[in-house]
Amino acid sequence: MTRPVAERIELIRGDITRLDVDAIVNAANTSLLGGGGVDGAIHRAAGPELLAECRTLGGCSTGSAKITRGYRLPARHVIHAVGPVYRDGRSGEPELLAGCYRTALRLAVENGCRTIAFPAISCGVFGYPMAAAARIAIGETTDFLARHDEIDKVIFVLFDERGLDTYRKVMTELVSPPSEQKP
Ligand code: AR6
């Protein structure tokens, strides 16, 4: 029997490039040709073959994702997702960010990936507020996991303690609400 969704989601603090999972997700830009932040770290760790494969992909639209091999990374694949630049939260950003999570999870299933790790897409250079982004990340993931038992584990990797704390609070809100709520 499939394990409950809450047990298939893990939150950790760390460097996503170190994870030995089937796929790590990159917070890329539409060129797919590298950049700073987690994108730079992934390209450095994967080696030049990753950029060479990315060059063949013809970029990627915002809110979507494309998959490559992982090369020198412990992860077998990299799913390059392009999050929105945050403006005011009313310019289509929530739907575009949700699209990144949905597309990445769909690509994972299509490529036989059972374990997948996400960074906080759009929460660095692109300026998305962490709590709002975490609600989308965890909300989309729980919906997807409820419908897809092909995925064993989704790991959200936060770079600092504050990010981890925000994700923990959102997990409690959305996935495992306290069971002893008084009326
Ligand atoms: N492991 C896990 N998380 C990380 C790591 C890491 N090694 N490094 C940074 N983070 P960002 P974005 C966190 O800026 O906002 C690039 O130039 C970081 O603390 O990497 O989607 C791309 O090419 C933050 O919480 O991605 C694009 O042009 C989160 O990852 C643009 O930045 C995302 O921060 C994308 O901006």
Side-chain angles (χ1 to χ4, degrees):
M1 204 187 82
T2 315
R3 286 180 302 138
V5 166
E7 288 176 21
R8 292 151 66 204
I9 297 179
E10 199 174 306
L11 310 181
I12 64 166
R13 180 183 169 186
D15 175 358
I16 201 167
T17 66
R18 311 287 289 269
L19 295 191
D20 184 1
V21 287
D22 293 326
I24 62 170
V25 177
N26 184 14
N29 59 60
T30 53
S31 77
L32 298 185
L33 298 180
V38 70
D39 195 4
I42 288 173
H43 276 276
R44 275 193 300 280
E49 298 93 339
L50 178 61
L51 183 58
E53 183 173 356
C54 284
R55 284 191 201 286
T56 69
L57 299 177
C60 179
S61 48
T62 303
S64 192
K66 291 190 177 177
I67 191 164
T68 65
R69 291 167 56 198
Y71 300 97
R72 298 177 202 176
L73 290 165
R76 258 72 69 211
H77 296 89
V78 179
I79 297 173
H80 306 264
V82 184
V85 176
Y86 189 82
R87 284 178 55 195
D88 54 10
R90 293 188 299 271
S91 306
E93 303 96 319
E95 189 47 41
L96 290 167
L97 188 61
C100 289
Y101 286 92
R102 280 197 296 267
T103 311
L105 290 163
R106 179 175 56 74
L107 285 172
V109 169
E110 286 171 4
N111 288 273
C113 301
R114 302 193 69 90
T115 53
I116 175 170
F118 284 95
I121 299 168
S122 283
C123 292
V125 177
F126 282 179
Y128 214 113
M130 184 73 88
R135 281 189 197 100
I136 292 168
I138 293 172
E140 290 299 329
T141 298
T142 51
D143 285 356
F144 191 93
L145 290 180
R147 289 180 284 111
H148 290 273
D149 59 7
E150 302 97 311
I151 304 259
D152 290 330
K153 179 142 287 190
V154 174
I155 305 172
F156 292 107
V157 186
L158 288 314
F159 212 40
D160 58 26
E161 201 57 40
R162 224 171 129 229
L164 182 61
D165 199 50
T166 302
Y167 266 69
R168 281 194 182 125
K169 286 190 177 122
V170 173
M171 265 302 274
T172 309
E173 257 175 50
L174 296 187
V175 184
S176 43
S179 52
E180 293 178 73
Q181 277 175 350
K182 302 242 155 63

